[in-house]
Amino acid sequence: MTTSTQEETGPVRAWLLEGLQRDRHSTGPHADEPGKRHPWWQVMCLTGVDYFSTLGYQPGIAALAAGALSPIATSLLVALTLFGALPTYRAVAERSPYGMGSIAMLERLLPRWWGKLFVLVLLGFVATAFVFTITLSASDATAHILQNPFVPAFLDGQRVPITLLLIAVLGGIFLRGFSEAIGLAVVLVGTYLALNVVVVAVALREVVVHPELLRDWQHALTTEHSGPIAMVAMSLLVLPKLALGLSGFETGVAVMPQVDGDLEQRIRGTRRLLTTAALIMSVFLLTSSVATSVLIPAKEFQEGGKASGRALAYLAHQYLGDWFGTAYDVSTIAILWFAGASALTGLLNIVPRYLPRYGMAPDWARAVRPLVLVFTVISFGITILFGAQVEPQGGAYATGVLALILSAAAAVTITAFVEGRTVRAVLFGLIAAVLVYAAVENIRERPDGLQIALFFVLAIVVTSLISRATRSTELRATDVELDETAKEIVTGIDGELRLIANEPDARDTAEYAEKDRETREYHHLPDDEPMIFLEVTLGDASEFESELRVRGETRHGYKVLTVTSPAVANTIAAILFSLRDMTGKRPHVYFHWAEGNPVGALLRYLVFGGGDVPPLTREVIRKAEPEVARRPQVHVG
């Protein structure tokens, strides 16, 4: 189907829209293309730059939040990781193998407008989690840069400019086209984990050879807390503050299209990816929490302290010297900076698969480069707003992470319940309940995180609805296909191609006879002029684009074309263009004026796909075809 010639684009616009995708399963930088797949362990490194990089700040955040209880609170976080988040996302990987994660599952469970609005809300939390991954990681990378003893003094106080530069470089790489992300991720993750093994091993050796430090830590525990039950209870209270240690799971399923193999192999590979990453991270979280709690004075974790946002780097410099510490800093800076690449990859894979398809973003949102510019500018704003400080950004980040994991737990719980798998539903329901507690406590402790997340949600919902309204007169049909009977009806007309737009009611002989008589009378058409009835039945009006399947039939002696679609006016226009291209004739379509409040009619059109159809049909045709002589004719009587 052709409706108009493509607009000539300048070199800048052509460069920005290069690689624009239209298939819902092949949008984003890591599309479902066989030539771009990799073994699961390599893809693990891509999501691992997000997940593993949290070691750069997680031990310090845990010590700041839980004090001497940090190892106990971290043990609870590890339990939630291995017995909560991991089984949840293993189930998500099975149900959503195209990288759209739990959002796609909930979209299927909640159809029509409620489902669309719920997805928009979730996308707000996705944006919160992923954008703050970019800004928080870059901010922490800056902290490692400024705390290094070899860094020139003139950089002191330049936290914001340095962070902005790191984000700008990341955005610039994606604008150029980042085809070597996997290879670089493997190098960064391998180097970083190897250096962490050395740092943690040396730190634990210090704990062993200096038992008095361990006794001091144990004394602090027993002094501050009456017993083991009190310790566990207090650890549960601070657990939500450690939620950043759960980041990376949503990214893990977002990059599923990168995993090598067919669909079943991709699912198995992603499950191995998630399990291996969770086990590695759990070991590092436990060991690092013990080392940092025992060896680092509490005052150094405070804002401005030498271990603030860089606890393991502090140990590297303290026990392995400044040269090794600098090597560790460089590795940490690199992986924290590249953690933004993992988050940006997730955004570029997820957002284009929903908003443009809903009609809730411009068509250019299917292209990578415009989105990179948008997310880079947003990241700049967040960085400036928070002064590139790590701890203040943690609340919003944790809120986004917990919301995504909770949505995943809810999705797999509901899916299991619908499928009649009661035991599985109960188990996932318990996981969801724990995550609800964590999310509520995190919001209670740090309400600013929810406020920021709601700002993202509100911004996405409002801009999406505005975009939907402004794009409502687009053609919206991705394809028009007529069955054999419909083709015979259309090609069997020797003269003008005339169609009566009929809103079907009883579909009896009287209905068609009366509509045929009125149309001929109002438009002064002879009785022997061939007429075709065109009937559009509304389907899911919340869908924006659709493939039109037109069926032909003879009903009570009248030729009828029928189709189901989400919007009447756009569908009629698309079918008229298709008939024009098929027959070489300019079709004529005949309407009766609608009655009632025109404002109400417009709202019905925007929400339900109906309304005042004749003027809307003409407007869709006018916008789709610039040449007046080629436009199908709209007649209203």
Side-chain angles (χ1 to χ4, degrees), residues 516-542:
D516 181 78
R517 183 193 63 78
E518 288 180 350
T519 301
R520 295 178 189 277
E521 180 179 324
Y522 293 158
H523 299 283
H524 309 289
L525 299 174
D527 292 341
D528 59 352
E529 184 74 18
M531 305 291 285
I532 303 172
F533 282 85
L534 176 58
E535 298 179 346
V536 180
T537 301
L538 280 173
D540 183 357
S542 66

PDB file of all heavy atoms in Angstrom, residues 516-542:
ATOM      1  N   ASP A 516     -28.907   2.132   1.024  1.00  0.00           N
ATOM      2  CA  ASP A 516     -28.645   2.256  -0.419  1.00  0.00           C
ATOM      3  C   ASP A 516     -29.543   3.339  -1.024  1.00  0.00           C
ATOM      4  O   ASP A 516     -29.082   4.188  -1.802  1.00  0.00           O
ATOM      5  CB  ASP A 516     -28.882   0.914  -1.094  1.00  0.00           C
ATOM      6  CG  ASP A 516     -28.602   0.966  -2.587  1.00  0.00           C
ATOM      7  OD1 ASP A 516     -27.423   0.930  -2.967  1.00  0.00           O
ATOM      8  OD2 ASP A 516     -29.582   1.072  -3.361  1.00  0.00           O
ATOM      9  N   ARG A 517     -30.834   3.325  -0.659  1.00  0.00           N
ATOM     10  CA  ARG A 517     -31.776   4.311  -1.201  1.00  0.00           C
ATOM     11  C   ARG A 517     -31.392   5.731  -0.789  1.00  0.00           C
ATOM     12  O   ARG A 517     -31.372   6.657  -1.610  1.00  0.00           O
ATOM     13  CB  ARG A 517     -33.184   3.989  -0.708  1.00  0.00           C
ATOM     14  CG  ARG A 517     -34.281   4.922  -1.288  1.00  0.00           C
ATOM     15  CD  ARG A 517     -35.586   4.754  -0.531  1.00  0.00           C
ATOM     16  NE  ARG A 517     -35.452   5.132   0.867  1.00  0.00           N
ATOM     17  CZ  ARG A 517     -35.440   6.401   1.293  1.00  0.00           C
ATOM     18  NH1 ARG A 517     -35.529   7.409   0.415  1.00  0.00           N
ATOM     19  NH2 ARG A 517     -35.326   6.663   2.581  1.00  0.00           N
ATOM     20  N   GLU A 518     -31.079   5.923   0.491  1.00  0.00           N
ATOM     21  CA  GLU A 518     -30.727   7.249   0.988  1.00  0.00           C
ATOM     22  C   GLU A 518     -29.479   7.794   0.308  1.00  0.00           C
ATOM     23  O   GLU A 518     -29.418   8.975  -0.065  1.00  0.00           O
ATOM     24  CB  GLU A 518     -30.509   7.200   2.499  1.00  0.00           C
ATOM     25  CG  GLU A 518     -31.777   7.027   3.318  1.00  0.00           C
ATOM     26  CD  GLU A 518     -31.488   6.999   4.799  1.00  0.00           C
ATOM     27  OE1 GLU A 518     -30.282   6.929   5.160  1.00  0.00           O
ATOM     28  OE2 GLU A 518     -32.436   7.040   5.601  1.00  0.00           O
ATOM     29  N   THR A 519     -28.489   6.942   0.140  1.00  0.00           N
ATOM     30  CA  THR A 519     -27.238   7.385  -0.476  1.00  0.00           C
ATOM     31  C   THR A 519     -27.458   7.839  -1.912  1.00  0.00           C
ATOM     32  O   THR A 519     -26.962   8.879  -2.345  1.00  0.00           O
ATOM     33  CB  THR A 519     -26.190   6.255  -0.427  1.00  0.00           C
ATOM     34  OG1 THR A 519     -25.964   5.875   0.927  1.00  0.00           O
ATOM     35  CG2 THR A 519     -24.874   6.699  -1.054  1.00  0.00           C
ATOM     36  N   ARG A 520     -28.218   7.045  -2.679  1.00  0.00           N
ATOM     37  CA  ARG A 520     -28.478   7.417  -4.077  1.00  0.00           C
ATOM     38  C   ARG A 520     -29.297   8.713  -4.156  1.00  0.00           C
ATOM     39  O   ARG A 520     -29.064   9.572  -5.011  1.00  0.00           O
ATOM     40  CB  ARG A 520     -29.221   6.286  -4.787  1.00  0.00           C
ATOM     41  CG  ARG A 520     -28.398   5.006  -4.908  1.00  0.00           C
ATOM     42  CD  ARG A 520     -29.191   3.890  -5.585  1.00  0.00           C
ATOM     43  NE  ARG A 520     -28.489   2.623  -5.502  1.00  0.00           N
ATOM     44  CZ  ARG A 520     -27.522   2.247  -6.347  1.00  0.00           C
ATOM     45  NH1 ARG A 520     -27.159   3.064  -7.328  1.00  0.00           N
ATOM     46  NH2 ARG A 520     -26.929   1.083  -6.210  1.00  0.00           N
ATOM     47  N   GLU A 521     -30.243   8.871  -3.218  1.00  0.00           N
ATOM     48  CA  GLU A 521     -31.092  10.066  -3.234  1.00  0.00           C
ATOM     49  C   GLU A 521     -30.296  11.310  -2.858  1.00  0.00           C
ATOM     50  O   GLU A 521     -30.386  12.358  -3.524  1.00  0.00           O
ATOM     51  CB  GLU A 521     -32.253   9.856  -2.261  1.00  0.00           C
ATOM     52  CG  GLU A 521     -33.210  11.038  -2.183  1.00  0.00           C
ATOM     53  CD  GLU A 521     -34.349  10.772  -1.220  1.00  0.00           C
ATOM     54  OE1 GLU A 521     -34.812   9.613  -1.150  1.00  0.00           O
ATOM     55  OE2 GLU A 521     -34.752  11.724  -0.513  1.00  0.00           O
ATOM     56  N   TYR A 522     -29.505  11.236  -1.782  1.00  0.00           N
ATOM     57  CA  TYR A 522     -28.757  12.395  -1.313  1.00  0.00           C
ATOM     58  C   TYR A 522     -27.697  12.838  -2.309  1.00  0.00           C
ATOM     59  O   TYR A 522     -27.412  14.032  -2.449  1.00  0.00           O
ATOM     60  CB  TYR A 522     -28.078  12.099   0.036  1.00  0.00           C
ATOM     61  CG  TYR A 522     -29.036  11.907   1.187  1.00  0.00           C
ATOM     62  CD1 TYR A 522     -28.648  11.198   2.324  1.00  0.00           C
ATOM     63  CD2 TYR A 522     -30.328  12.433   1.151  1.00  0.00           C
ATOM     64  CE1 TYR A 522     -29.513  11.019   3.385  1.00  0.00           C
ATOM     65  CE2 TYR A 522     -31.204  12.255   2.202  1.00  0.00           C
ATOM     66  CZ  TYR A 522     -30.793  11.549   3.315  1.00  0.00           C
ATOM     67  OH  TYR A 522     -31.666  11.371   4.365  1.00  0.00           O
ATOM     68  N   HIS A 523     -27.092  11.872  -3.010  1.00  0.00           N
ATOM     69  CA  HIS A 523     -25.951  12.194  -3.867  1.00  0.00           C
ATOM     70  C   HIS A 523     -26.288  12.107  -5.360  1.00  0.00           C
ATOM     71  O   HIS A 523     -25.386  12.149  -6.194  1.00  0.00           O
ATOM     72  CB  HIS A 523     -24.778  11.261  -3.537  1.00  0.00           C
ATOM     73  CG  HIS A 523     -24.306  11.387  -2.123  1.00  0.00           C
ATOM     74  ND1 HIS A 523     -23.529  12.419  -1.689  1.00  0.00           N
ATOM     75  CD2 HIS A 523     -24.544  10.598  -1.022  1.00  0.00           C
ATOM     76  CE1 HIS A 523     -23.276  12.283  -0.386  1.00  0.00           C
ATOM     77  NE2 HIS A 523     -23.888  11.176   0.028  1.00  0.00           N
ATOM     78  N   HIS A 524     -27.583  11.972  -5.661  1.00  0.00           N
ATOM     79  CA  HIS A 524     -28.062  12.002  -7.047  1.00  0.00           C
ATOM     80  C   HIS A 524     -27.367  10.940  -7.905  1.00  0.00           C
ATOM     81  O   HIS A 524     -26.846  11.223  -8.982  1.00  0.00           O
ATOM     82  CB  HIS A 524     -27.851  13.393  -7.654  1.00  0.00           C
ATOM     83  CG  HIS A 524     -28.386  14.501  -6.793  1.00  0.00           C
ATOM     84  ND1 HIS A 524     -29.744  14.713  -6.614  1.00  0.00           N
ATOM     85  CD2 HIS A 524     -27.746  15.447  -6.036  1.00  0.00           C
ATOM     86  CE1 HIS A 524     -29.923  15.748  -5.805  1.00  0.00           C
ATOM     87  NE2 HIS A 524     -28.730  16.203  -5.436  1.00  0.00           N
ATOM     88  N   LEU A 525     -27.356   9.722  -7.397  1.00  0.00           N
ATOM     89  CA  LEU A 525     -26.760   8.608  -8.120  1.00  0.00           C
ATOM     90  C   LEU A 525     -27.860   7.747  -8.737  1.00  0.00           C
ATOM     91  O   LEU A 525     -28.894   7.497  -8.095  1.00  0.00           O
ATOM     92  CB  LEU A 525     -25.902   7.748  -7.171  1.00  0.00           C
ATOM     93  CG  LEU A 525     -24.722   8.458  -6.506  1.00  0.00           C
ATOM     94  CD1 LEU A 525     -24.055   7.546  -5.496  1.00  0.00           C
ATOM     95  CD2 LEU A 525     -23.709   8.914  -7.553  1.00  0.00           C
ATOM     96  N   PRO A 526     -27.686   7.283  -9.981  1.00  0.00           N
ATOM     97  CA  PRO A 526     -28.715   6.454 -10.624  1.00  0.00           C
ATOM     98  C   PRO A 526     -28.871   5.109  -9.936  1.00  0.00           C
ATOM     99  O   PRO A 526     -27.967   4.620  -9.261  1.00  0.00           O
ATOM    100  CB  PRO A 526     -28.197   6.302 -12.058  1.00  0.00           C
ATOM    101  CG  PRO A 526     -26.732   6.544 -11.966  1.00  0.00           C
ATOM    102  CD  PRO A 526     -26.529   7.540 -10.873  1.00  0.00           C
ATOM    103  N   ASP A 527     -30.003   4.477 -10.131  1.00  0.00           N
ATOM    104  CA  ASP A 527     -30.306   3.198  -9.480  1.00  0.00           C
ATOM    105  C   ASP A 527     -29.407   2.074  -9.962  1.00  0.00           C
ATOM    106  O   ASP A 527     -29.218   1.083  -9.230  1.00  0.00           O
ATOM    107  CB  ASP A 527     -31.772   2.819  -9.711  1.00  0.00           C
ATOM    108  CG  ASP A 527     -32.733   3.759  -8.982  1.00  0.00           C
ATOM    109  OD1 ASP A 527     -32.263   4.441  -8.033  1.00  0.00           O
ATOM    110  OD2 ASP A 527     -33.918   3.823  -9.354  1.00  0.00           O
ATOM    111  N   ASP A 528     -28.876   2.183 -11.178  1.00  0.00           N
ATOM    112  CA  ASP A 528     -28.063   1.089 -11.698  1.00  0.00           C
ATOM    113  C   ASP A 528     -26.566   1.282 -11.419  1.00  0.00           C
ATOM    114  O   ASP A 528     -25.737   0.514 -11.902  1.00  0.00           O
ATOM    115  CB  ASP A 528     -28.288   0.938 -13.207  1.00  0.00           C
ATOM    116  CG  ASP A 528     -27.942   2.219 -13.972  1.00  0.00           C
ATOM    117  OD1 ASP A 528     -27.675   3.250 -13.310  1.00  0.00           O
ATOM    118  OD2 ASP A 528     -27.932   2.172 -15.218  1.00  0.00           O
ATOM    119  N   GLU A 529     -26.229   2.322 -10.650  1.00  0.00           N
ATOM    120  CA  GLU A 529     -24.811   2.547 -10.327  1.00  0.00           C
ATOM    121  C   GLU A 529     -24.374   1.516  -9.280  1.00  0.00           C
ATOM    122  O   GLU A 529     -24.966   1.409  -8.208  1.00  0.00           O
ATOM    123  CB  GLU A 529     -24.611   3.958  -9.760  1.00  0.00           C
ATOM    124  CG  GLU A 529     -23.167   4.326  -9.481  1.00  0.00           C
ATOM    125  CD  GLU A 529     -22.383   4.605 -10.746  1.00  0.00           C
ATOM    126  OE1 GLU A 529     -23.006   4.859 -11.803  1.00  0.00           O
ATOM    127  OE2 GLU A 529     -21.139   4.583 -10.678  1.00  0.00           O
ATOM    128  N   PRO A 530     -23.316   0.706  -9.568  1.00  0.00           N
ATOM    129  CA  PRO A 530     -22.867  -0.312  -8.599  1.00  0.00           C
ATOM    130  C   PRO A 530     -22.364   0.346  -7.314  1.00  0.00           C
ATOM    131  O   PRO A 530     -21.624   1.325  -7.349  1.00  0.00           O
ATOM    132  CB  PRO A 530     -21.734  -1.034  -9.332  1.00  0.00           C
ATOM    133  CG  PRO A 530     -21.905  -0.687 -10.774  1.00  0.00           C
ATOM    134  CD  PRO A 530     -22.517   0.670 -10.819  1.00  0.00           C
ATOM    135  N   MET A 531     -22.758  -0.217  -6.181  1.00  0.00           N
ATOM    136  CA  MET A 531     -22.349   0.302  -4.874  1.00  0.00           C
ATOM    137  C   MET A 531     -21.816  -0.854  -4.024  1.00  0.00           C
ATOM    138  O   MET A 531     -22.299  -1.985  -4.119  1.00  0.00           O
ATOM    139  CB  MET A 531     -23.522   0.971  -4.149  1.00  0.00           C
ATOM    140  CG  MET A 531     -24.223   2.082  -4.946  1.00  0.00           C
ATOM    141  SD  MET A 531     -23.195   3.546  -5.165  1.00  0.00           S
ATOM    142  CE  MET A 531     -23.292   4.259  -3.533  1.00  0.00           C
ATOM    143  N   ILE A 532     -20.830  -0.542  -3.213  1.00  0.00           N
ATOM    144  CA  ILE A 532     -20.249  -1.525  -2.292  1.00  0.00           C
ATOM    145  C   ILE A 532     -20.386  -0.978  -0.872  1.00  0.00           C
ATOM    146  O   ILE A 532     -20.037   0.186  -0.617  1.00  0.00           O
ATOM    147  CB  ILE A 532     -18.760  -1.786  -2.603  1.00  0.00           C
ATOM    148  CG1 ILE A 532     -18.570  -2.264  -4.042  1.00  0.00           C
ATOM    149  CG2 ILE A 532     -18.172  -2.800  -1.622  1.00  0.00           C
ATOM    150  CD1 ILE A 532     -17.108  -2.360  -4.461  1.00  0.00           C
ATOM    151  N   PHE A 533     -20.880  -1.793   0.034  1.00  0.00           N
ATOM    152  CA  PHE A 533     -20.947  -1.391   1.435  1.00  0.00           C
ATOM    153  C   PHE A 533     -19.597  -1.672   2.116  1.00  0.00           C
ATOM    154  O   PHE A 533     -18.995  -2.739   1.905  1.00  0.00           O
ATOM    155  CB  PHE A 533     -22.054  -2.154   2.166  1.00  0.00           C
ATOM    156  CG  PHE A 533     -23.424  -1.617   1.886  1.00  0.00           C
ATOM    157  CD1 PHE A 533     -24.133  -2.025   0.763  1.00  0.00           C
ATOM    158  CD2 PHE A 533     -24.014  -0.695   2.732  1.00  0.00           C
ATOM    159  CE1 PHE A 533     -25.399  -1.531   0.489  1.00  0.00           C
ATOM    160  CE2 PHE A 533     -25.277  -0.187   2.476  1.00  0.00           C
ATOM    161  CZ  PHE A 533     -25.970  -0.599   1.353  1.00  0.00           C
ATOM    162  N   LEU A 534     -19.141  -0.705   2.908  1.00  0.00           N
ATOM    163  CA  LEU A 534     -17.897  -0.871   3.679  1.00  0.00           C
ATOM    164  C   LEU A 534     -18.239  -0.748   5.164  1.00  0.00           C
ATOM    165  O   LEU A 534     -18.702   0.299   5.621  1.00  0.00           O
ATOM    166  CB  LEU A 534     -16.867   0.194   3.278  1.00  0.00           C
ATOM    167  CG  LEU A 534     -15.553   0.204   4.072  1.00  0.00           C
ATOM    168  CD1 LEU A 534     -14.839  -1.143   3.977  1.00  0.00           C
ATOM    169  CD2 LEU A 534     -14.640   1.332   3.587  1.00  0.00           C
ATOM    170  N   GLU A 535     -18.017  -1.822   5.902  1.00  0.00           N
ATOM    171  CA  GLU A 535     -18.374  -1.860   7.321  1.00  0.00           C
ATOM    172  C   GLU A 535     -17.132  -2.096   8.174  1.00  0.00           C
ATOM    173  O   GLU A 535     -16.389  -3.057   7.955  1.00  0.00           O
ATOM    174  CB  GLU A 535     -19.388  -2.972   7.583  1.00  0.00           C
ATOM    175  CG  GLU A 535     -20.699  -2.777   6.827  1.00  0.00           C
ATOM    176  CD  GLU A 535     -21.680  -3.900   7.068  1.00  0.00           C
ATOM    177  OE1 GLU A 535     -21.277  -4.966   7.607  1.00  0.00           O
ATOM    178  OE2 GLU A 535     -22.858  -3.723   6.718  1.00  0.00           O
ATOM    179  N   VAL A 536     -16.913  -1.188   9.139  1.00  0.00           N
ATOM    180  CA  VAL A 536     -15.774  -1.295  10.050  1.00  0.00           C
ATOM    181  C   VAL A 536     -16.302  -1.594  11.445  1.00  0.00           C
ATOM    182  O   VAL A 536     -17.105  -0.824  12.000  1.00  0.00           O
ATOM    183  CB  VAL A 536     -14.953   0.002  10.069  1.00  0.00           C
ATOM    184  CG1 VAL A 536     -13.777  -0.136  11.034  1.00  0.00           C
ATOM    185  CG2 VAL A 536     -14.458   0.345   8.667  1.00  0.00           C
ATOM    186  N   THR A 537     -15.871  -2.710  12.003  1.00  0.00           N
ATOM    187  CA  THR A 537     -16.237  -3.077  13.370  1.00  0.00           C
ATOM    188  C   THR A 537     -15.074  -2.722  14.285  1.00  0.00           C
ATOM    189  O   THR A 537     -13.925  -3.095  14.009  1.00  0.00           O
ATOM    190  CB  THR A 537     -16.537  -4.580  13.477  1.00  0.00           C
ATOM    191  OG1 THR A 537     -17.608  -4.904  12.583  1.00  0.00           O
ATOM    192  CG2 THR A 537     -16.925  -4.945  14.903  1.00  0.00           C
ATOM    193  N   LEU A 538     -15.358  -1.988  15.362  1.00  0.00           N
ATOM    194  CA  LEU A 538     -14.299  -1.574  16.275  1.00  0.00           C
ATOM    195  C   LEU A 538     -13.784  -2.754  17.087  1.00  0.00           C
ATOM    196  O   LEU A 538     -14.554  -3.524  17.665  1.00  0.00           O
ATOM    197  CB  LEU A 538     -14.809  -0.487  17.224  1.00  0.00           C
ATOM    198  CG  LEU A 538     -14.856   0.937  16.660  1.00  0.00           C
ATOM    199  CD1 LEU A 538     -15.539   1.874  17.644  1.00  0.00           C
ATOM    200  CD2 LEU A 538     -13.446   1.418  16.365  1.00  0.00           C
ATOM    201  N   GLY A 539     -12.451  -2.871  17.114  1.00  0.00           N
ATOM    202  CA  GLY A 539     -11.804  -3.864  17.959  1.00  0.00           C
ATOM    203  C   GLY A 539     -11.263  -3.196  19.207  1.00  0.00           C
ATOM    204  O   GLY A 539     -11.972  -2.461  19.891  1.00  0.00           O
ATOM    205  N   ASP A 540      -9.983  -3.425  19.504  1.00  0.00           N
ATOM    206  CA  ASP A 540      -9.339  -2.818  20.663  1.00  0.00           C
ATOM    207  C   ASP A 540      -8.910  -1.402  20.293  1.00  0.00           C
ATOM    208  O   ASP A 540      -7.898  -1.191  19.625  1.00  0.00           O
ATOM    209  CB  ASP A 540      -8.127  -3.653  21.073  1.00  0.00           C
ATOM    210  CG  ASP A 540      -7.440  -3.114  22.321  1.00  0.00           C
ATOM    211  OD1 ASP A 540      -7.883  -2.062  22.835  1.00  0.00           O
ATOM    212  OD2 ASP A 540      -6.454  -3.722  22.778  1.00  0.00           O
ATOM    213  N   ALA A 541      -9.686  -0.402  20.736  1.00  0.00           N
ATOM    214  CA  ALA A 541      -9.424   0.984  20.359  1.00  0.00           C
ATOM    215  C   ALA A 541      -8.135   1.525  20.959  1.00  0.00           C
ATOM    216  O   ALA A 541      -7.637   2.564  20.527  1.00  0.00           O
ATOM    217  CB  ALA A 541     -10.599   1.870  20.778  1.00  0.00           C
ATOM    218  N   SER A 542      -7.568   0.832  21.953  1.00  0.00           N
ATOM    219  CA  SER A 542      -6.317   1.311  22.542  1.00  0.00           C
ATOM    220  C   SER A 542      -5.121   1.034  21.647  1.00  0.00           C
ATOM    221  O   SER A 542      -4.073   1.660  21.797  1.00  0.00           O
ATOM    222  CB  SER A 542      -6.094   0.648  23.904  1.00  0.00           C
ATOM    223  OG  SER A 542      -5.872  -0.752  23.757  1.00  0.00           O
TER     224      SER A 542
END
